């Protein structure tokens, strides 16, 4: 199974997909005139200050809670385990490609959220439903319904792997390494906790995310900054390695096989997408629930999530791994810092933190993995049921919930390599229909954005 998935991923994440992904981000960046850079400050203002005009707007939850739910799906083990996997498999240069796909992806994320607000619908429970399947079908017409169905199917399926199995697997791995808790025990605990929250609906999930995400993100980032301060003399050399190996291979040494540039690019892009989800369309599955007076406002808020996740959190993880020498998959043969070469993903990041902060550093990462992973699992449940609802209606949502919780347990006892390979496959399969939809609807995105920023009242509020 693992070999089959690897062969599939070599095709799905080959040059055509990388060109489609980066090309869509670049194309939208040009169409929006680099808005993700010029309007970033205003976007953060909208995200973290209350706009009273939104109080009476249509929607289920506030802009801030929508952002927190979206971040719950992104600030997870993709930022801890995913970055470690990308750098050990693709070298330090993988971080450069994560940055690039993140910066371009901000325009993609903005566009996804904008269309989500524009084409959202109310379901029979009185809640809003949105996502690429709605803006593909409603924006492009019924002749593209097949593409909308493909996205919904792949995303509902992907939620079981990328947002669930990968997270529970990494949680179980760290719980066993740090606390000697057997995988199946972790699985049972997760099943109980996830079940209690996910069946409480979108408002309960957004409330939990609004508490979990800010606290854990601050704790993790502060800890990473402390390590970088302790290793300040290695920061500039670390950036040198990142830029050097983004364009030149990592030489083989000892048991280390070496890394070519294409591996750095492939792992950087695929794990970058896993961490920030720009291009996957997931933000569109929650953005339609936001209370806002204009689609562009929620889109700007959603855009900040990619910056926070990639440019801040992933960079912190990557730099810690590099300055401590734990990026070297050969066990320190290249970097000169000896460590256990059998450590993987979250356990590797945990060990890197522990090398500078001692036992407390390992525990900080371990606890972060547990809480980030848990919040990601519940956020991706929202994504999964939105897609399942589109395909089959509300009648069978409970059945999907049972399948989802079962996948949570299975993830804790599955092989790590297979789970990660499956996540990469699922990412690509849901990404392609969404990107096609965005490219066809770029004129709508551009016109709605221009209308928003041309409003005299809006200019006064910026």
């Amino acid at each position: 199974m693992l070999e089959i998935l690897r062969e599939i991923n070599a095709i799905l994440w080959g040059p055509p997909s990388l060109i489609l992904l980066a090309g869509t981000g670049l194309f939208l960046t040009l169409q929006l005139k680099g808005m993700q850079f010029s309007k970033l400050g205003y976007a953060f203002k909208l995200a973290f200050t209350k706009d009273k005009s939104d109080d009476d707007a249509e929607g289920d939850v506030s802009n801030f809670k929508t952002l927190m739910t979206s971040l719950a799906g992104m600030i997870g083990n993709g930022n801890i385990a995913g970055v470690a996997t990308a750098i050990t498999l693709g070298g330090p240069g993988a971080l450069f490609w994560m940055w690039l796909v993140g910066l371009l992806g901000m325009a993609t994320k903005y566009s996804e959220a904008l269309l989500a607000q524009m084409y959202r619908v109310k379901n029979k429970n009185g809640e809003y439903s949105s996502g690429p399947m709605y803006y593909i079908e409603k924006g492009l017409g019924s002749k593209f319904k097949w593409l909308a169905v493909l996205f919904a199917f792949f995303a509902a399926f992907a939620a079981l792997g990328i947002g669930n199995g990968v997270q529970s697997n990494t949680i179980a791995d760290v719980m066993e390494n740090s606390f000697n808790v057997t995988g199946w025990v972790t699985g049972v605990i997760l099943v109980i906790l996830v079940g209690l929250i996910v069946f409480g609906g979108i408002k309960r999930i957004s409330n939990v995310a609004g508490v979990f995400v800010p606290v854990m993100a601050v704790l993790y980032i502060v800890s990473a900054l402390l390590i970088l301060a302790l290793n300040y003399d290695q920061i500039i050399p670390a950036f040198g390695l990142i830029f050097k190996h983004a364009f030149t291979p990592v030489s083989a040494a000892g048991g280390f096989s070496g890394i070519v540039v294409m591996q750095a690019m492939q792992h950087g892009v695929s794990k970058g997408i896993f961490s920030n989800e720009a291009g996957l369309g997931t933000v569109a599955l929650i953005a339609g629930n936001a209370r806002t007076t204009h689609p562009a406002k929620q889109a700007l808020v959603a855009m900040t999530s990619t910056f926070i996740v990639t440019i801040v959190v992933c960079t912190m993880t990557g730099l810690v791994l590099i300055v401590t020498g734990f990026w070297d998959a050969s066990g320190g043969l290249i970097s000169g810092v000896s460590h256990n070469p059998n450590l993987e993903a979250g356990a590797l990041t945990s060990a890197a933190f522990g090398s500078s902060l001692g036992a407390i550093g390992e525990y900080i990462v371990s606890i972060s993995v547990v809480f980030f992973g848990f919040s990601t699992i519940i956020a991706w449940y929202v994504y999964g049921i939105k897609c399942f609802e589109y395909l089959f209606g509300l009648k069978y949502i409970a059945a999907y919930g049972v399948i989802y919780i079962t996948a949570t347990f299975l993830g804790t006892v599955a092989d790590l390599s297979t789970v990660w390979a499956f996540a990469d496959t699922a990412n690509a399969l849901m990404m392609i229909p969404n990107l096609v939809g965005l490219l066809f609807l770029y004129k709508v995105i551009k016109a709605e954005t221009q209308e928003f920023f041309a409003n005299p009242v809006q200019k006064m509020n910026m």
Side-chain angles (χ1 to χ4, degrees):
M1 175 64 74
L2 178 59
E3 290 306 315
I4 292 172
L5 287 172
R6 282 176 174 167
E7 289 181 15
I8 293 172
N9 287 336
I11 298 171
L12 290 176
W13 288 106
S17 291
L18 297 181
I19 292 170
L20 175 63
L21 178 67
T24 301
L26 178 60
F27 177 73
L28 291 172
T29 295
L30 295 173
Q31 291 299 318
L32 296 170
K33 298 181 179 179
M35 187 196 62
Q36 69 263 47
F37 308 112
S38 62
K39 306 297 183 186
L40 184 60
Y42 177 58
F44 273 106
K45 177 184 175 182
L46 288 173
F48 295 101
T49 60
K50 185 175 177 59
D51 187 342
K52 292 183 179 179
S53 67
D54 290 332
D55 289 345
D56 298 324
E58 291 280 326
D60 303 315
V61 292
S62 67
N63 274 328
F64 175 76
K65 287 187 176 179
T66 303
L67 174 63
M68 289 302 105
T69 304
S70 178
L71 282 173
M74 289 185 288
I75 300 185
N77 294 322
N79 314 119
I80 298 174
V83 175
T85 302
I87 291 178
T88 53
L89 294 178
L95 192 58
F96 172 85
W97 297 107
M98 293 183 83
W99 291 337
L100 181 63
V101 78
L103 291 172
L104 293 177
M106 290 172 68
T108 308
K109 186 69 69 75
Y110 169 88
S111 302
E112 292 169 342
L114 180 81
L115 294 175
Q117 278 277 328
M118 291 181 65
Y119 295 106
R120 65 183 182 174
V121 300
K122 259 191 178 180
N123 62 27
K124 293 179 180 178
N125 290 339
E127 293 180 338
Y128 280 101
S129 293
S130 62
M133 55 279 194
Y134 291 104
Y135 57 69
I136 290 173
E137 181 183 353
K138 293 166 65 91
L140 300 180
S142 58
K143 63 182 179 181
F144 282 92
K145 185 176 174 66
W146 63 272
L147 192 63
V149 170
L150 276 181
F151 172 85
F153 174 78
F154 290 140
F157 192 65
L160 302 175
I162 177 180
N164 192 341
V166 165
Q167 307 301 324
S168 61
N169 185 279
T170 307
I171 290 171
D173 181 49
V174 169
M175 287 295 289
E176 187 163 354
N177 277 283
S178 299
F179 305 106
N180 295 316
V181 178
T182 316
W184 72 266
V185 174
T186 300
V188 170
I189 295 171
L190 281 176
V191 164
I192 294 170
L193 294 176
V194 171
L196 288 173
I197 293 176
V198 300
F199 287 118
I202 179 65
K203 290 184 179 179
R204 180 183 294 179
I205 291 171
S206 65
N207 287 336
V208 171
V211 175
F212 270 67
V213 174
V215 173
M216 292 312 303
V218 169
L219 176 63
Y220 184 78
I221 292 169
V222 168
S223 301
L225 287 172
L226 179 57
I227 293 173
L228 294 178
L230 293 172
N231 296 275
Y232 68 92
D233 58 325
Q234 294 299 314
I235 294 176
I236 293 178
F239 277 104
L241 282 175
I242 292 167
F243 289 107
K244 175 183 177 182
H245 293 306
F247 303 100
T248 59
V250 180
S251 301
F256 194 73
S257 61
I259 296 168
V260 298
V261 173
M262 189 61 193
Q263 284 176 286
M265 187 184 300
Q266 182 178 352
H267 290 293
V269 171
S270 65
K271 297 305 182 294
I273 290 301
F274 179 76
S275 67
N276 65 46
E277 300 174 14
L280 296 188
T282 52
V283 72
L285 296 167
I286 187 65
N289 291 92
R291 287 192 302 268
T292 186
T293 55
H294 196 284
K297 289 172 70 176
Q298 169 53 27
L300 286 164
V301 171
M303 184 182 78
T304 64
S305 64
T306 301
F307 184 90
I308 293 169
V309 167
T310 305
I311 307 303
V312 179
V313 183
C314 286
T315 298
M316 292 295 101
T317 302
L319 286 176
V320 167
L321 286 165
I322 295 170
V323 302
T324 58
F326 278 75
W327 69 271
D328 181 355
S330 64
L333 293 170
I334 297 175
S335 62
V337 180
S338 178
H339 66 271
N340 182 359
N342 295 318
L343 290 175
E344 296 181 282
L348 185 66
T349 306
S350 181
F353 271 67
S355 69
S356 288
L357 300 181
I360 191 171
E362 291 194 34
Y363 286 128
I364 286 172
V365 175
S366 299
I367 294 170
S368 296
V369 165
V370 173
F371 281 94
F372 283 158
F374 181 72
S375 63
T376 300
I377 290 171
I378 61 174
W380 268 86
Y381 173 73
V382 176
Y383 303 158
I385 60 170
K386 295 283 187 181
C387 295
F388 200 79
E389 174 191 332
Y390 177 82
L391 293 170
F392 304 107
L394 292 170
K395 185 178 179 180
Y396 301 104
I397 290 297
Y400 183 80
V402 172
I403 296 170
Y404 194 83
I405 291 173
T406 302
T408 303
F409 178 80
L410 292 177
T412 61
V413 295
D415 175 67
L416 182 69
S417 300
T418 303
V419 172
W420 276 103
F422 173 76
D424 278 346
T425 304
N427 271 359
L429 290 175
M430 62 187 290
M431 173 186 74
I432 295 169
N434 177 54
L435 293 178
V436 171
L438 291 177
L439 289 172
F440 275 112
L441 291 167
Y442 84 92
K443 289 184 179 179
V444 176
I445 297 165
K446 186 176 181 180
E448 191 73 7
T449 301
Q450 290 175 339
E451 182 270 328
F452 174 70
F453 286 109
N455 189 313
V457 176
Q458 178 55 39
K459 288 181 178 180
M460 291 176 61
N461 293 330
M462 288 181 62

